């Protein structure tokens, strides 16, 4: 390979490839998916063509679900509404999504991570112990108050716990329209990983592993 070509390839690998890790840049102003294609069948938005721009309306860019959000709390005291193009078509191809979370007093958002997005969390009300763990196993955490914002870098485990005496409300924003989420307890004990491996990894007995599996089985939890 000629030296100049090798240098160009190296520059491409070092500079160009990282841009592929995020959502692709849009090639048009917007792409509101057309939910009716073919014989009137509803298809996943990721496979849908855009509406003709003449058919797009202001309502395609307004989401009213937040004001009608009814908290349905989990056993951990968390209720969340995640908003992506499936719920809010106007977000499609814009490289972002968002969520609203409510935490009961003492409630937690268990350790989890988003494989495809950095998250910005704005605390609307309450007092929340909030933080993340970096790849050197260092914890960055403290109590944040209403009006404060914390960032969780993409792919790093983070968590939240309401330490106040009133419910807490959090608004989160992601730099991907499909951030993804993996909650560590459910990922480890509710995914079917070999029990013997888990026993050795965590020093737990088969009975304890079985208890955790039953508690975190996705078929019986929400």
């Amino acid at each position: 390979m000629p030296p100049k070509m090798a240098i160009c390839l190296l520059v491409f690998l070092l500079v160009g490839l990282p841009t592929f890790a995020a959502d692709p840049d849009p090639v048009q102003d917007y792409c509101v998916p057309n939910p009716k294609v073919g014989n009137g069948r509803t298809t996943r938005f990721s496979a849908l063509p855009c509406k003709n721009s003449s058919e797009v309306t202001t309502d395609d860019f307004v989401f009213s679900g937040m004001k009608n959000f009814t908290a349905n709390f989990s056993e951990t005291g968390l209720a969340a509404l995640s908003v992506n193009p499936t719920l809010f078509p106007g977000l499609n191809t814009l490289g972002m999504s968002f969520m609203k979370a409510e935490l009961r007093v003492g409630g937690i958002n268990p350790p989890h991570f988003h494989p495809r997005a950095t998250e910005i969390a704005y605390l609307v009300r309450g007092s929340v112990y909030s933080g993340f763990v970096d790849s050197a196993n260092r914890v960055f955490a403290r109590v944040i108050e209403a009006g404060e914002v914390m960032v969780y870098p993409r792919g790093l485990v983070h968590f939240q716990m309401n330490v106040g005496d009133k419910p807490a409300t959090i608004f989160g924003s992601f730099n991907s329209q499909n951030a993804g989420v993996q909650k560590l307890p459910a990922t480890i004990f509710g995914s079917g990983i070999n029990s013997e491996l888990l026993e050795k990894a965590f020093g737990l007995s088969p009975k304890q592993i079985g208890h955790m599996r039953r508690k975190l089985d996705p078929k019986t939890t929400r």
Side-chain angles (χ1 to χ4, degrees):
M1 179 182 297
K4 288 186 178 180
M5 185 178 295
I7 293 173
C8 290
L9 179 59
L10 179 61
V11 170
F12 171 76
L13 291 173
L14 293 178
V15 179
L17 284 183
T19 63
F20 300 155
D23 288 8
D25 287 335
V27 295
Q28 53 205 359
D29 292 342
Y30 48 79
C31 175
V32 178
N34 187 345
K36 298 295 183 179
V37 295
N39 298 319
R41 295 175 301 171
T42 299
T43 310
R44 291 183 53 147
F45 280 162
S46 59
L48 292 179
C50 307
K51 282 185 181 179
N52 187 295
S53 60
S54 64
E55 299 175 347
V56 175
T57 70
T58 301
D59 286 343
D60 288 317
F61 303 103
V62 177
F63 179 74
S64 301
M66 289 292 187
K67 67 179 184 179
N68 301 318
F69 172 56
T70 300
N72 185 17
F73 289 96
S74 68
E75 291 184 0
T76 66
L78 169 71
L81 174 64
S82 297
V83 183
N84 54 40
T86 302
L87 286 181
F88 187 8
L91 290 175
N92 191 47
T93 73
L94 300 185
M96 64 179 300
S97 54
F98 57 93
M99 58 85 69
K100 179 182 181 181
E102 301 279 353
L103 284 171
R104 285 176 169 163
V105 175
I108 68 167
N109 190 358
H112 64 282
F113 66 94
H114 306 288
R116 293 179 290 276
T118 290
E119 178 182 359
I120 291 282
Y122 170 65
L123 185 60
V124 178
R125 63 169 178 161
S127 298
V128 171
Y129 175 67
S130 172
F132 65 89
V133 183
D134 71 8
S135 57
N137 221 29
R138 183 180 177 188
V139 179
F140 295 84
R142 73 170 178 86
V143 175
I144 60 174
E145 305 290 346
E148 293 190 299
V149 176
M150 189 165 191
V151 61
Y152 310 122
R154 183 176 64 184
L156 295 187
V157 172
H158 53 281
F159 46 82
Q160 296 153 337
M161 178 171 65
N162 185 354
V163 294
D165 57 4
K166 297 179 181 179
T169 301
I170 302 163
F171 183 87
S173 181
F174 307 92
N175 66 339
S176 171
Q177 72 175 46
N178 184 20
V181 62
Q182 286 191 277
K183 296 192 174 184
L184 296 192
T187 297
I188 293 170
F189 295 103
S191 62
I193 295 175
N194 181 275
S195 294
E196 182 181 356
L197 185 151
L198 294 177
E199 292 168 23
K200 293 178 178 179
F202 294 98
L204 299 176
S205 68
K207 184 176 180 180
Q208 290 171 318
I209 294 293
H211 172 74
M212 294 299 292
R213 283 199 185 282
R214 288 189 296 273
K215 184 176 181 180
L216 296 166
D217 186 338
K219 298 184 184 68
T220 59
T221 58
R222 54 183 173 83

